[in-house]
Amino acid sequence: MIAKVEPLTPARALRGPFDYRLVGALEAVGVGSMLVVPFGNRRLLGVVVGLAERSELRDDRLAQPLAALEADVPETLVRLGLWVAREYVSTPARGLALVLPPGTGTGATKPVRPKRSLRASLTPLGESLGGEGVAARLGPRQRAALDALAGGALGAAALSRRAGADHSTLRSLERRGLLRLEHAAEPPRRPRVEGVGAPGGAVALTAAQSAALRAMIERLGAPRPAPLLLHGVTGSGKTEVYLRTVAAALDRGRSAIVLVPEIALTPQTAGRFVERFGDEVAVMHSRLSRRERYDEWWRMRHGEARVCIGPRSGVFAPLADLGLIVIDEEHDGSYKQEADPRYDARAVAERRAAEEGALLVVGSATPRPESVLRYDRLELPARCGTGEGPGPPPFEVERIAGAAGPGREPPPVEVGEVVGATGPGRGLPPVDVVGMLGAAGPLHELTREALDEVRRRREKAIVLLNRRGWSNFMSCRVCGRVWECPDCDVTLVLHREAGAVACHHCGHREPMPRVCSECGSVSVARHGAGTEQMERSLGELVAPLPVFRLDSDVAAASGVAAVLRSFEAAPAGVLLGTQMVAKGHDFPEVTLGVVLDADATLRFPDFRAEERTFALVAQLAGRSGRGSRGGRVIVQALDPDTRALRHAAAHDSTGFVAGELERRRELAYPPFGHLIRVVCSSSDPGPELAAARAVGELVAAARVPVLGPVPLFRRNARHRAQLVVRSPDRAPAIAAVRNAVETVASDRAHVASIFAVDVDPQ
Ligand code: ADP
Ligand code: ZN
Ligand code: ZN
């Protein structure tokens, strides 16, 4: 038997798979096994990505693996890792590294432990089933495993070869009481008593929650369920719906993955899953030690934990019989990895769910246009559990008629009127948008009054400083014009030292303007200010109430959780911070939310600017007025009449997304077109541009539209040049970029350059 092994090396040039001959005990390895193999005069760790009867190499040229690791990866995940490598134009080794047990990464020097041998035998129940596997609703591999065992106990490795049944298949048969698994070298394990925790919480679901839950459970039973979008305002009880859907998946003998943005920022959500499902839950987060991470991985791999809660990397959890993937706060930017492979966990989840027949549920109060367009939508229109007030309005399980799935023609987008009742009816706070043009100082009169009221009544407020608003841009003091890129519909960023404004999207640049070309005014403002300054002004305004500052500097020093705890513990005060303060915390006593410089995001060079601005305001509004005292939100903006802000003030995300889709269709932006960015860099000027030109020519030769190359600003002392591919046809565009980059990267003429490819840049 021949194993096709992909070596785990960071080198882009070294491409497997390479053939190795399997003899003796190693004949038992399968796809997903991890082997230590000789490679030249080195030893490398590798993953088996395929098996074959014979090799094209002569027998005496075939080496044998040195050992197999104890841990192995499910075959489905090997395929997923290789898919990520292709889809995001990375290397097989880097794609596979994502699915390996924690700590095994792309190194070769990790401790190797012998593979423990697991033996399986039929229980009396399994024996009594005979050939009735079909009746017991078993999958083909499960049936094959039972058939193979009818002849007597077998090692797991042999079973894997004979019946294609991997560990997790065996574990699920074990759970059904059909077979017994024992470690040959260990005392037999007691069969695990399965309990799915408390059945539901104490709360009775609202009508809207019940309807959403019913729809999800219905799809959970379908063989190839189409994804669902749970579109629920903040506080509408989405988490409770997830919890019960996960319980339903477990009841059906299946496992579930729940992705959350950052556990450090949203400990409450993860906590609720642990509370409900106990040991069934494996929690992955960055604070775990490598050993702890490995142990959680092991528990999932062997069916001991069947629910994974984690950030984006949780999408690669080694769970078998996957029934459900939930992505909470699906709009969150942290689902995109910013280092190679630059994968998007939302796209990976969609792929994995489709491959494994699992249901994908994504949820948000501010869903992405991509999801609204492509997924069937369930709505939770009102907050629940706020106590007083009228109950939620009549609900509707809405399926957008003709919603387009992958490959289907998108429906016409209707730009809705801004409707949606503000506040009371749905338990959401009223939002005032105030214009700052010509305002004296950073705080509007209305904001000052509201903060003063918080001070007098000893309440709590959250003030969100739009970080990007404190980056540099230019505007006209007289007419309000903001300098934009002629090609990209985004704002130009001011680079003071260079004396220029530039587009970070396409690279367009022009000299810093001195005169407004709209109105001729010479009063052109350069923006950019400090956060500590705001902390001081707020402190003076609300004294003696304390101000808690939360931004990335503070977070790095004392930890986000510490700051949030002090704010929570204080009887009154103001939490001031960047985007972080708008994430899913639940502070019932907050009565005022303020967004400073809300439309600053719009001046950021990014076609997602509108979406981000809307989400920011809507999410902050979600933090205010959760308690019985109610609350309000004030949004300060240069232009209060901006579309994103009008919709945010009306809590109208449906209308916002409709307009956004319209705009994106016109500009062929996602989801109507696909963007791929290629950045070539080198330490000396010159090679990066030559390499980018070479890549661009090859891409264009494949008849894929490409813009550039354009020089980018130096970063990390490297000279950079960028190409942007914008195409309606995804697969051919990715293939063209992959071929071009691989060709140029292996050309000796371009050794001085490094290549970074970003598919679906955020
Ligand atoms: P979301 O995730 O949609 O922002 P949560 O799931 O955090 O909302 O729910 C908000 C609050 O409402 C939580 O405190 C939750 O316990 C409570 N809740 C959820 N469902 C119900 C219900 N059916 N009745 C009463 N309270 C509920
Ligand atoms: Zn002007
Ligand atoms: Zn541009």
Side-chain angles (χ1 to χ4, degrees), residues 209 230 233-242 380 382-384:
Q209 283 173 314
L230 182 60
V233 300
T234 50
S236 58
K238 293 187 288 296
T239 312
E240 189 59 40
V241 177
Y242 302 145
L380 302 180
R383 280 187 174 175
C384 65

Side-chain angles (χ1 to χ4, degrees), residues 107 255 306 370 439 515 687 715:
S255 58
R306 296 191 292 150
E370 285 92 331
V515 178
R715 196 186 279 169

Side-chain angles (χ1 to χ4, degrees), residues 362-405:
V362 306
S364 176
T366 54
R368 296 179 302 157
E370 285 92 331
S371 308
V372 172
L373 184 71
R374 300 175 56 239
Y375 299 157
D376 292 333
R377 183 167 62 140
L378 304 163
E379 263 199 307
L380 302 180
R383 280 187 174 175
C384 65
T386 38
E388 305 113 65
F395 65 95
E396 197 97 337
V397 179
E398 180 181 353
R399 181 175 299 179
I400 293 190

Side-chain angles (χ1 to χ4, degrees), residues 493-539:
V493 174
L494 170 63
H495 292 261
R496 284 169 211 263
E497 312 90 286
V501 287
C503 171
H504 280 193
H505 190 55
C506 73
H508 167 91
R509 64 189 275 167
E510 54 189 76
M512 197 160 75
R514 314 211 168 275
V515 178
C516 173
S517 54
E518 295 288 318
C519 73
S521 151
V522 290
S523 183
V524 177
R526 306 174 191 184
H527 299 261
T531 65
E532 292 90 354
Q533 199 183 321
M534 179 54 66
E535 186 181 12
R536 234 174 296 127
S537 340
L538 278 178

Side-chain angles (χ1 to χ4, degrees), residues 485-490 492 503-508:
C485 174
D487 299 326
C488 295
D489 196 21
V490 293
L492 296 173
C503 171
H504 280 193
H505 190 55
C506 73
H508 167 91

Side-chain angles (χ1 to χ4, degrees), residues 170-330:
L170 301 182
R171 285 290 175 201
S172 71
L173 288 169
E174 183 191 32
R175 269 198 304 276
R176 289 164 171 238
L178 298 174
L179 58 75
R180 218 180 352 254
L181 289 175
E182 310 164 37
H183 283 292
E186 290 176 7
R189 293 190 179 198
R190 296 222 316 280
R192 206 182 140 74
V193 183
E194 295 296 334
V196 177
V203 294
L205 294 186
T206 65
Q209 283 173 314
S210 306
L213 181 64
R214 261 200 316 279
M216 287 180 194
I217 290 179
E218 193 181 300
R219 290 214 179 176
L220 211 48
R224 312 189 101 247
L228 283 170
L229 163 63
L230 182 60
H231 183 181
V233 300
T234 50
S236 58
K238 293 187 288 296
T239 312
E240 189 59 40
V241 177
Y242 302 145
L243 284 163
R244 297 197 192 201
T245 312
V246 169
L250 294 180
D251 278 346
R252 285 162 176 69
R254 305 180 76 182
S255 58
I257 293 173
V258 179
L259 300 184
V260 292
E262 281 152 84
I263 288 185
L265 292 183
T266 54
Q268 288 164 342
T269 306
R272 285 170 67 186
F273 278 87
V274 174
E275 199 183 325
R276 189 75 56 96
F277 300 112
D279 282 350
E280 289 269 31
V281 179
V283 182
M284 312 288 271
H285 62 83
S286 52
R287 296 277 159 82
L288 296 182
S289 71
R290 205 169 87 188
R291 181 76 226 177
E292 287 170 320
R293 232 178 280 189
Y294 184 84
D295 286 348
E296 289 295 73
W297 188 92
W298 181 269
R299 290 203 309 124
M300 291 191 276
R301 177 72 182 107
H302 295 93
E304 290 166 20
R306 296 191 292 150
V307 181
C308 176
I309 311 277
R312 61 171 178 264
S313 60
V315 75
F316 300 109
L319 293 167
D321 297 318
L322 188 65
L324 175 69
I325 304 179
V326 171
I327 305 182
D328 190 23
E329 311 284 4
E330 68 104 23

